[in-house]
Amino acid sequence: MPSHDFRAPRLFVDAPLAQDARVALDRDQGNYLGNVLRLEAGAAILAFNGRDGEWQAAIEGRKRPDGLVILQQTRPQDALPDLAYIFAPLKHARLDYMVQKAVEMGAATLQPVLTRFTQVSRVNSERMRANVIEAAEQCGILSLAAVAEPVPLERFLSRRPSDRLLVFCDEASEVENPILGLQSARAAGHGIDVLIGPEGGFTEEERALLLRQPKILRLALGPRILRADTAAVAALALVQAVLGDWGKTANLAALADR
């Protein structure tokens, strides 16, 4: 079992963390601790910043929580797997859900791409970042996923390193065992991009462009058509289980034998 304290409240703070350091809280953070969680001065929480690990901290403040005093480190900083989630943006609540689940699954980068059938043309990057932080706070995650600005699919493909594995989740692909397909991929050391398209699918021109990528694995996600947010969870779970850090020791041993 992970050595996390699941009962203590966790708070992301964008400030250096070290023993005896003091961190000022903004109004929203003070309101969350004081009015939502009803914590008072002296109460213990866990604080993290995505850089310095996780720390036990005590709340300071008279009328409302307005600061933290950092006490001791509870977990050292870790690193996310080199896994990027590439997706066509969805509308509001479904995009919020998809971002949160990608963070929970261990994605290190979230890259929206605009396709012919993308449902929305504008993406609220700040809202995405807020969802990244919220998911990290709730799930004991120490490293924050980077949120990239949306780009057209063609531009993304022209700029991505050719040695990264592109897992192309294609509803038009033949239905085969996705685990066997992933086990055949050689992704060690170069990173993985997992691509989920819009619910309207890719055009033939977009699909042809994708299939010309130098290191690509075309993957079906079973015999049923999935909504894009469901496909995100399914694809990331498969990739993490076979090539990611869910079975890190076994995967590294298998890759070393190739």
Side-chain angles (χ1 to χ4, degrees):
M1 289 288 292
S3 56
H4 303 342
D5 183 350
F6 289 105
R7 291 170 298 200
R10 298 181 77 244
L11 188 69
F12 170 79
V13 294
D14 191 12
L17 297 176
Q19 189 168 357
D20 298 328
R22 280 180 160 75
V23 176
L25 299 176
D26 61 32
R27 182 173 294 276
D28 289 342
Q29 292 172 322
N31 178 69
Y32 172 69
L33 294 177
N35 296 328
V36 178
L37 298 183
R38 299 190 179 280
L39 299 176
E40 300 178 347
I45 69 166
L46 298 174
F48 69 105
N49 61 6
R51 304 182 299 274
D52 300 321
E54 180 184 77
W55 293 75
Q56 187 180 63
I59 296 174
E60 295 186 314
R62 294 184 178 180
K63 295 183 179 180
R64 65 175 180 84
D66 58 17
L68 300 175
V69 57
I70 308 303
L71 302 177
Q72 61 183 357
Q73 190 177 60
T74 53
R75 286 190 290 158
Q77 186 63 39
D78 62 8
L80 293 169
D82 191 1
L83 174 63
Y85 179 54
I86 319 300
F87 61 96
L90 302 173
K91 295 179 180 178
H92 302 305
R94 292 183 61 201
L95 178 60
D96 294 345
Y97 172 88
M98 188 167 64
V99 168
Q100 292 166 3
K101 299 311 161 188
V103 170
E104 292 176 35
M105 291 289 177
T109 302
L110 306 177
Q111 173 64 72
V113 292
L114 305 178
T115 70
R116 173 67 178 81
F117 297 129
T118 296
Q119 294 182 354
V120 295
S121 58
R122 301 181 65 182
V123 179
N124 187 334
S125 298
E126 288 305 312
R127 179 168 174 153
M128 284 181 58
R129 293 186 182 94
N131 276 292
V132 168
I133 290 172
E134 181 180 349
E137 287 177 335
Q138 292 179 353
C139 296
I141 296 169
L142 297 181
S143 299
L144 296 183
V147 176
E149 292 299 318
V151 296
L153 175 64
E154 295 85 351
R155 187 183 306 170
F156 166 74
L157 293 176
S158 68
R159 293 178 176 179
R160 64 181 297 271
S162 60
D163 58 356
R164 290 179 67 85
L165 174 66
L166 176 62
V167 178
F168 171 29
C169 299
D170 184 6
E171 72 277 5
S173 178
E174 292 292 329
V175 177
E176 298 177 353
N177 188 329
I179 294 177
L180 293 179
L182 287 165
Q183 287 174 338
S184 69
R186 296 177 179 271
H190 302 297
I192 307 171
D193 297 332
V194 177
L195 172 65
I196 299 288
E199 295 198 325
F202 293 101
T203 66
E204 288 307 312
E205 293 79 8
E206 290 170 337
R207 183 172 284 106
L209 181 62
L210 285 162
L211 294 177
R212 288 198 296 269
Q213 293 296 296
K215 193 174 181 181
I216 185 168
L217 175 64
R218 191 181 181 198
L219 206 64
L221 297 176
R224 289 166 291 278
I225 299 298
L226 305 178
R227 287 164 54 127
D229 44 353
T230 307
V233 177
L236 289 169
L238 282 167
V239 170
Q240 281 285 58
V242 179
L243 298 175
D245 63 1
W246 286 14
K248 189 173 182 180
T249 302
N251 290 335
L252 288 176
L255 290 166
D257 290 338
R258 293 178 179 173

